[in-house]
Each structure stands twice: as C-alpha cells, then as structure tokens.
Amino acid sequence: MTTTLPTDIITAFRSVATASVADAVELGGRRGYLSGSVRQMLPGAGRLVGPAATVLEVPSPDPAPPAHALRAIDESAPGSVVCIAAGGADVAVWGGLMSAGAVANRVAGAVLDGAVRDVEEIRRDYPDFPVYARGSVPATTVGRYRTVSLNEPVEMGGVAVRPGDLIVADADGVVCVPSESVAAVLEAALEIERREREQTALILESGSLRGGLEKHGRI
C-alpha cells in the first residue's frame, strides 16, 4: 500500500506546473526532476499527481511475468502512481493489459524508467490514463527483465524515488517530491507561480524582459 495524501493537497498540485514544483524542491537543497528522457508518452486527462508505488526490474533471462508490477497495480491505493525503475531498459515494462488493470483499480498513472508498448491500444481504450516513459518499443520484458521488489526505494531518471513520495508530471516532465516536504514544496511552488504571474504582467506592460527579471529574479 502507498501513502494516502490529503485530497486537497493532490488537488492543489494539479494546478501547479512541474517547472514550479521542480524549482520548489530545489529550494530545499535537492533535485526532484527526472531526466528529460522520461517523458510524456500518453497525456491522459491532465497533470498526473499521486503517491509513488515503486517497482524495481533487473536484467534476467527468467521467463516469468512481472509479479511485483502486477501486485503494485492490484494492491496500491486508488490514486497511486506506479513507478517502475528498470535502468532505462529498451524493453516495454508496461502495456495494454497493465493499463486495463490500472484503470480498473483506479491507479492514477504510470511512470517508467523503461519503455511502454501498446500505445495505440492505450490511447484508444484508456484515453484518460497517463503514461510517462523513455519511449515505446514492442519488446516484452519476459525473458529479458524480471521484477525484484515492490515499494522499496529505487532510482529513476537520476532521482531517488521512495514509496509514498509525491509524483507530479505534465508535458514538461516528471518531478518527485519527498513525502516529508510535500506541504512546504506546495507552498513554495504556489509562491513561485504567484511571482511569475506578476512578472509576466510587468513584462507585458513595460515591454522589458530584463526589467521583469531585475524585479522578480525569475527566468
């Protein structure tokens, strides 16, 4: 089971861009954004926000199904984001059947440090389900990779992701917010967005990008 975050926190993060969230995490002295190689493949119904349920996959010739990933889909709390760490594997760690299970169990979305397949099927049958991955490839993991853990800390796109950390993702990419910093990061991100709205208004009014930068320090 993954951590359940208050509904108002989830709702608030859905209104904040990942760029602001990434900057807010960095104010706390750490990196939160995953490598740009982990990108939006299927946008779903909007910004993806939810606590991480983590799965680790490693190379293996064992022709076994991805048991820990299947457990994550079936057992995670509604609203969770299944995060599969596979070291950037050029195989599909997610596909159409897993998407069906995720939708049935009200999983919010999937973030994959690997590839996805059945993209046309997912887009057609589950248009509201978001998937972020390194790309798409038709190759299965069976006989190539196996899952070895569920809800243990993993590394994805250069960032440590722990079960229960908050995942925020949109067209710019994916950010991991440490669970103990969620409230502080939200407050900082909202302040960043407030200042950017003021800066945008000043730039449009004055016709000077540099003037906006001098006053607000954002670029």
Side-chain angles (χ1 to χ4, degrees):
M1 299 294 287
T2 50
T3 302
T4 301
L5 295 169
T7 302
D8 60 335
I9 293 285
I10 298 294
T11 300
F13 269 102
R14 287 200 181 107
S15 71
V16 184
T18 54
S20 301
V21 177
D23 288 354
V25 173
E26 290 194 345
L27 290 174
R30 64 187 295 170
R31 170 180 163 178
Y33 68 92
L34 274 62
S35 165
S37 299
V38 182
R39 63 190 187 278
Q40 187 181 76
M41 296 295 298
L42 293 155
R47 187 165 290 119
L48 173 60
V49 181
T54 59
V55 176
L56 178 62
E57 298 208 18
V58 299
S60 171
D62 182 10
H68 297 84
L70 303 183
R71 284 185 57 201
I73 292 169
D74 281 353
E75 299 174 12
S76 296
S80 299
V81 178
V82 175
C83 297
I84 300 180
D90 192 29
V91 295
V93 298
W94 192 274
L97 294 176
M98 296 171 82
S99 297
V103 170
N105 287 289
R106 295 187 291 161
V107 169
V111 174
L112 318 169
D113 198 352
V116 60
R117 69 178 185 176
D118 302 325
V119 171
E120 291 184 3
E121 175 187 337
I122 299 168
R123 182 182 293 118
R124 180 194 69 217
D125 295 342
Y126 316 108
D128 292 342
F129 188 77
V131 177
Y132 292 75
R134 286 187 179 264
S136 60
V137 66
T140 179
T141 58
V142 177
R144 298 183 176 94
Y145 277 73
R146 66 185 177 93
T147 64
V148 293
S149 73
L150 170 63
N151 285 332
E152 298 290 340
V154 296
E155 182 175 315
M156 300 183 66
V159 174
V161 179
R162 302 168 303 173
D165 284 347
L166 184 67
I167 301 298
V168 185
D170 61 17
D172 280 346
V174 183
V175 181
C176 175
V177 181
S179 56
E180 69 275 11
S181 304
V182 166
V185 167
L186 175 59
E187 181 179 1
L190 290 172
E191 175 62 15
I192 286 169
E193 300 229 319
R194 184 193 66 77
R195 287 166 44 205
E196 288 202 345
R197 288 192 296 271
E198 290 184 358
Q199 184 171 348
T200 298
L202 176 60
I203 291 167
L204 294 174
E205 180 181 349
S206 67
S208 173
L209 176 59
R210 287 178 298 174
L213 175 61
E214 288 170 2
K215 180 173 181 179
H216 293 278
R218 296 280 302 167
I219 190 64

